[in-house]
Amino acid sequence: MSKLNKIVIPLLDWYSKNRRNLPWRENTNPYYIWISEIMLQQTRVEAVKPYFLKFIKEIPDIKSLANIEEDRLLKLWEGLGYYSRARNLKKCATALKSNNYTLPSSYEELMKLPGIGFYTAAAIASIGYREKVAAVDGNVLRVTTRLLNSSMNISEDKNKKEIQSILNKIIPDNSGDFNQAMMELGATICIPNPRCNICPLKELCLGYKTGNMWKLPIKNKKVNKTVENNHVIIYLCGKQFAIEKRPKIGLLSSLYGFPIKNNISIDNATYVGEYKHIFTHKIWNNKVYMVKCNKKKGKYLWITMNDIKKYSIPTAFKPCIEMLKTQL
């Protein structure tokens, strides 16, 4: 452990000189930290920047997040994917009414809130409130297992907690900077294909010294994705077309999309094109058909292309919109 202590000074020195200018780093507002960390889950930093700025401009605090209409919230989230993240934000904000719409300052209290796990709680507590607790995400897991030349499986929760415990023993008073430095190192240098030649910690890294950095970290193999073959229908009546709100539970719940019919014959339909959309655990192979109607049919919402900006339509249906434009 004494050897791991030696990373603190060179890591913080490197971070002070090389940290990226990110909008959520302009201050330590716990709300900003919370929103950015949730957005950054499964999403690249560059993709998150414009979403974060737009989100904060329209929803500047926890009270406004608790009171925003869900459809508007999902529209602001449109394109980021993993929409349950947005719903959990609102759920948590609503729960904070009893705390005067303020995030608690301690890691333990943050852990009690809906939608906030051990990583996000530690990020808010350390960066926003300077609590000495390690924030352990995928980047930090990769950096730490390489530093220790550890073969522990980072997919297992017990090992994530073990790494947090190890880092808690060395975390300095400026815990927020330390956590951000670890994440930054993992995001920019200690990446899956490591850039060891420019790493400020290479001389302290056992993975580098043993040549094992390429093999680490150890984690579970990815689960094979299921494949679903769909017929997506564009019903067109004059300049209007049909969309529907998806069920409240299941894939893309409560979002708007085009009607889907699974592998059944389509009467009076014209083939328009096809595309593939990849989810975390599923692949959609979508064939798109157009049905021109003399009158509006079914329990659909009929809109024009000018109306579409009002509705949260996920990326999985965006190719259909492009195909529709060629028919109007």
Side-chain angles (χ1 to χ4, degrees):
M1 193 55 58
S2 60
K3 289 185 177 180
L4 199 58
N5 262 313
K6 294 179 180 178
I7 74 168
V8 175
I9 293 175
L11 177 68
L12 291 175
D13 182 60
W14 170 84
Y15 179 66
S16 69
K17 298 172 183 175
N18 295 278
R19 58 184 288 174
R20 290 171 292 179
N21 292 322
L22 303 175
W24 46 89
R25 285 181 177 166
E26 292 178 1
N27 60 57
T28 56
N29 182 330
Y31 174 65
Y32 289 8
I33 297 162
W34 176 35
I35 300 301
S36 66
E37 291 298 345
I38 298 300
M39 286 186 169
L40 286 165
Q41 293 171 6
Q42 309 282 346
T43 310
R44 294 180 300 104
V45 166
E46 291 304 317
V48 165
K49 284 182 183 179
Y51 281 95
F52 174 82
L53 293 171
K54 184 178 180 181
F55 192 99
I56 293 299
K57 183 177 181 180
E58 184 160 340
I59 314 176
D61 51 40
I62 295 172
K63 186 175 182 178
S64 56
L65 175 57
N67 294 324
I68 194 170
E69 291 290 331
E70 183 176 282
D71 278 353
R72 181 55 190 161
L73 174 64
L74 295 177
K75 182 63 180 178
L76 287 170
W77 204 267
E78 182 180 292
L80 271 176
Y82 303 95
Y83 288 85
S84 61
R85 295 181 296 172
R87 296 189 189 92
N88 285 335
L89 282 172
K90 180 174 171 61
K91 182 179 180 181
C92 183
T94 303
L96 287 169
K97 181 178 181 180
S98 60
N99 197 43
N100 197 29
Y101 296 111
T102 302
L103 285 162
S105 60
S106 78
Y107 170 75
E108 294 299 332
E109 290 301 312
L110 286 162
M111 281 284 288
K112 297 176 183 178
L113 294 171
I116 293 185
F118 93 111
Y119 162 71
T120 305
I124 297 169
S126 63
I127 303 170
Y129 297 113
R130 298 182 67 85
E131 182 175 351
K132 292 177 66 173
V133 57
V136 179
D137 69 349
N139 287 320
V140 175
L141 289 168
R142 185 167 56 253
V143 171
T144 309
T145 52
R146 285 174 172 170
L147 283 169
L148 297 175
N149 193 30
S150 170
S151 59
M152 66 174 67
N153 186 331
I154 65 167
S155 299
E156 298 179 9
D157 287 343
K158 66 176 183 178
N159 290 332
K160 295 176 184 178
K161 292 293 182 69
E162 174 63 19
I163 286 178
Q164 184 184 51
S165 178
I166 290 170
L167 294 175
N168 279 346
K169 295 173 182 176
I170 69 165
I171 196 166
D173 290 337
N174 49 344
S175 54
D177 280 353
F178 177 83
N179 282 333
Q180 290 183 94
M182 288 287 283
M183 290 184 267
E184 190 85 339
L185 189 72
T188 61
I189 290 181
C190 196
I191 55 180
N193 293 320
R195 305 166 67 198
C196 298
N197 59 312
I198 59 170
C199 180
L201 305 182
K202 68 179 181 181
E203 298 305 324
L204 300 171
C205 179
L206 296 179
Y208 173 72
K209 289 184 176 181
T210 58
N212 287 335
M213 65 284 191
W214 299 99
K215 303 174 184 177
L216 300 173
I218 305 299
K219 54 186 175 180
N220 292 342
K221 293 182 179 179
K222 292 183 178 179
V223 178
N224 290 333
K225 300 177 189 290
T226 59
V227 178
E228 190 173 287
N229 298 310
N230 301 316
H231 290 159
V232 183
I233 314 301
I234 300 174
Y235 290 109
L236 185 63
C237 184
K239 294 292 184 181
Q240 291 187 308
F241 56 94
I243 60 173
E244 62 182 356
K245 192 168 189 177
R246 294 177 62 82
K248 290 184 178 180
I249 58 174
L251 189 62
L252 304 178
S253 56
S254 297
L255 302 174
Y256 291 88
F258 294 88
I260 289 181
K261 300 184 183 297
N262 297 85
N263 294 322
I264 63 174
S265 61
I266 308 295
D267 296 329
N268 304 316
T270 303
Y271 172 80
V272 179
E274 57 189 81
Y275 66 95
K276 176 185 293 187
H277 186 80
I278 301 175
F279 297 96
T280 305
H281 300 296
K282 180 177 289 190
I283 296 174
W284 272 3
N285 289 326
N286 289 347
K287 289 187 176 181
V288 184
Y289 295 85
M290 179 167 289
V291 177
K292 293 187 177 181
C293 311
N294 294 323
K295 61 179 181 179
K296 299 172 188 175
K297 60 187 294 184
K299 297 180 181 180
Y300 300 125
L301 177 64
W302 291 83
I303 65 173
T304 66
M305 196 60 72
N306 289 332
D307 298 324
I308 207 164
K309 61 181 177 292
K310 302 175 186 177
Y311 302 96
S312 50
I313 298 179
T315 305
F317 289 108
K318 290 299 173 69
C320 297
I321 296 173
E322 297 306 312
M323 293 178 191
L324 175 58
K325 287 178 181 178
T326 66
Q327 306 294 319
L328 293 174

